[in-house]
Amino acid sequence: MSSGFKSTSFLAILACLLWSTAFVGIKIGLEYTSPMQFAGTRFFIAGAMLLPLVPSWKKLGSALVQYPLVFLKIAFFQTFVLYTLFYQGINLVEGATTAIIIGSQPLFTALVAHVAMKNDLLTMKKFQTIVIGIAGIILVAIEKGLSFSGAGLLSQLGGIGLLVLANIASGYGNVLVSRQSQLDISPVSLSSVQLMLGGAGLFVISLWVEPFNGFDFEWPYYVSLLWLSFLSAAAFSLWFTLLNRPAVKVSDLNIWKFIIPVFGAFFSWLLIESENPTLLQVVGMIIIGISLVLYNLQNRKKKVL
C-alpha cells in the first residue's frame, strides 16, 4: 500500500488535485487585492512554509554558492515569467478561452521537451493523447462562451499570445528542474528557494504596475492566501520530486495536468452556488479521463513488452 502512495501516478494526481483548488482561492483573494501583488505574496509565503522542511541547511547553503544560476533560472521561468504572463494574459482574454489555452499546457510542455531533451520526444501516442485531452478541455470550458469579435479583438489576440508564452515558460521551467536532478539539491530546497525568489520578484514588479493595497483586509483574504500558499508549497514540492525521478519524462508527467480543470470544475460546483454542471462539461471530463486511461494503459503494455 505504501508503495502505491509513492507512485508517480498517485503523487501527480495529488499535486494536480491541490492545484485545482486554486481557482476558488484566487477568485476570493482577487476581490481584495491586485493579481500580481496577490501572487507575489502567495508564492513568497509558500516558499517560506517549506524552509522548516529543508533536509540540510548546510547542503542548501553549499548549493546556493555552487549553483546560484540554477535557482535563479528556475525561479525566473517557473514562477516569475510564468505568472507575470499569466496574470497579464487573463486580463485581456475571455474566461473560456483562457481555460482552453492554459488547459493545453501539456502540449506546449511536450513541444518544449521535444526540442530541449533528447530522451523526451513527442511521439504520435503522446500527440494523440494530448489532442483528445484538449478536446475534452474545450467541452468543459466552452459553456462559458467564446468570443473573438468586437473592439477588443487585438487585445484578446495579444492576451492569447501572452498565455501561450506562459505555457512555454512553464514547460521550460519543468525541463530545467528535470535537468538538475543530477545535482545534490533536494526538491524541497529547490522549490522553497525558487518560490521565494519568484514571489519576491512578482511583488516588487507589482509595485510599479499595480496600486499597492496594503494588507488590511477581511479574514476571507487571509484564509485564501494561506490555503493558496500551502497548496503551492505542497504541489510544487511534489512536482519537483517527480521531475527528479530518473524514469519520469517531463512530457509524460505533464499530461496529468489535464485533470486540473476537471477537479477545478468539481470544486466550483461544490463551493460556488451559481456554478452547475452541464452535459457538455460532463462529456468533456469523460473524454479527458479516457485519454489519460488509454495513455497509461499503453505505457504499461510497453513496459511489459
Side-chain angles (χ1 to χ4, degrees):
M1 182 68 74
S2 60
S3 61
F5 289 130
K6 294 180 182 178
S7 70
T8 298
S9 298
F10 177 79
L11 294 178
I13 292 172
L14 180 58
C16 291
L17 175 61
L18 287 167
W19 270 319
S20 69
T21 66
F23 296 111
V24 176
I26 291 172
K27 188 172 183 179
I28 294 171
L30 291 183
E31 292 178 2
Y32 298 92
T33 188
S34 53
M36 290 183 68
Q37 180 182 317
F38 189 47
T41 306
R42 163 193 172 184
F43 291 123
F44 186 85
I45 293 174
M49 283 181 171
L50 289 172
L51 286 177
L53 303 178
V54 170
S56 170
W57 286 92
K58 184 178 180 181
K59 285 187 176 181
L60 175 56
S62 177
L64 286 169
V65 172
Q66 286 183 275
Y67 315 112
L69 287 180
V70 169
F71 290 94
L72 287 171
K73 284 173 67 176
I74 292 174
F76 182 69
F77 286 102
Q78 190 67 43
T79 301
F80 180 77
V81 172
L82 167 58
Y83 288 98
T84 298
L85 294 172
F86 174 77
Y87 280 113
Q88 295 304 314
I90 62 174
N91 284 332
L92 301 172
V93 181
E94 297 289 337
T97 310
T98 299
I100 292 169
I101 297 171
I102 295 301
S104 64
Q105 187 181 103
L107 173 60
F108 291 94
T109 301
L111 292 171
V112 172
H114 179 83
V115 174
M117 305 188 78
K118 294 180 180 179
N119 66 336
D120 198 353
L121 300 179
L122 179 59
T123 63
M124 182 55 67
K125 179 180 66 177
K126 287 181 188 176
F127 183 73
Q128 290 171 343
T129 302
I130 290 169
V131 169
I132 294 172
I134 291 174
I137 286 173
I138 290 173
L139 291 179
V140 172
I142 204 169
E143 285 291 323
K144 296 179 181 178
L146 294 172
S147 174
F148 295 99
S149 60
L153 176 60
L154 289 178
S155 294
Q156 287 196 52
L157 290 175
I160 290 170
L162 291 175
L163 292 175
V164 168
L165 289 174
N167 281 343
I168 294 172
S170 175
Y172 187 58
N174 275 229
V175 168
L176 289 175
V177 174
S178 182
R179 281 179 175 174
Q180 310 315 319
S181 58
Q182 308 93 332
L183 304 180
D184 190 20
I185 307 174
S186 78
V188 172
S189 300
L190 183 57
S191 182
S192 175
V193 174
Q194 76 89 14
L195 283 168
M196 292 183 73
L197 288 174
L202 283 168
F203 188 84
V204 170
I205 292 297
S206 77
L207 299 178
W208 271 273
V209 299
E210 297 173 346
F212 179 62
N213 298 311
F215 295 99
D216 185 19
F217 304 119
E218 297 177 7
W219 65 267
Y221 166 84
Y222 294 103
V223 172
S224 66
L225 177 63
L226 289 174
W227 173 250
L228 288 168
S229 300
F230 166 75
L231 76 86
S232 295
F236 273 109
S237 295
L238 286 172
W239 206 254
F240 282 19
T241 298
L242 296 177
L243 287 170
N244 275 268
R245 290 184 174 179
V248 173
K249 293 182 179 179
V250 173
S251 59
D252 289 344
L253 183 62
N254 275 267
I255 285 176
W256 285 107
K257 287 186 176 180
F258 278 132
I259 63 177
I260 293 177
V262 174
F263 285 139
F266 275 123
F267 285 120
S268 294
W269 297 337
L270 287 172
L271 301 174
I272 301 175
E273 291 184 4
S274 60
E275 295 280 346
N276 295 293
T278 65
L279 178 60
L280 277 181
Q281 288 176 323
V282 173
V283 171
M285 291 177 178
I286 293 172
I287 290 173
I288 292 171
I290 290 172
S291 71
L292 291 170
V293 170
L294 289 176
Y295 186 71
N296 281 280
L297 286 176
Q298 290 172 334
N299 275 349
R300 289 183 182 181
K301 289 179 181 179
K302 186 177 179 181
K303 289 178 182 177
V304 171
L305 294 174

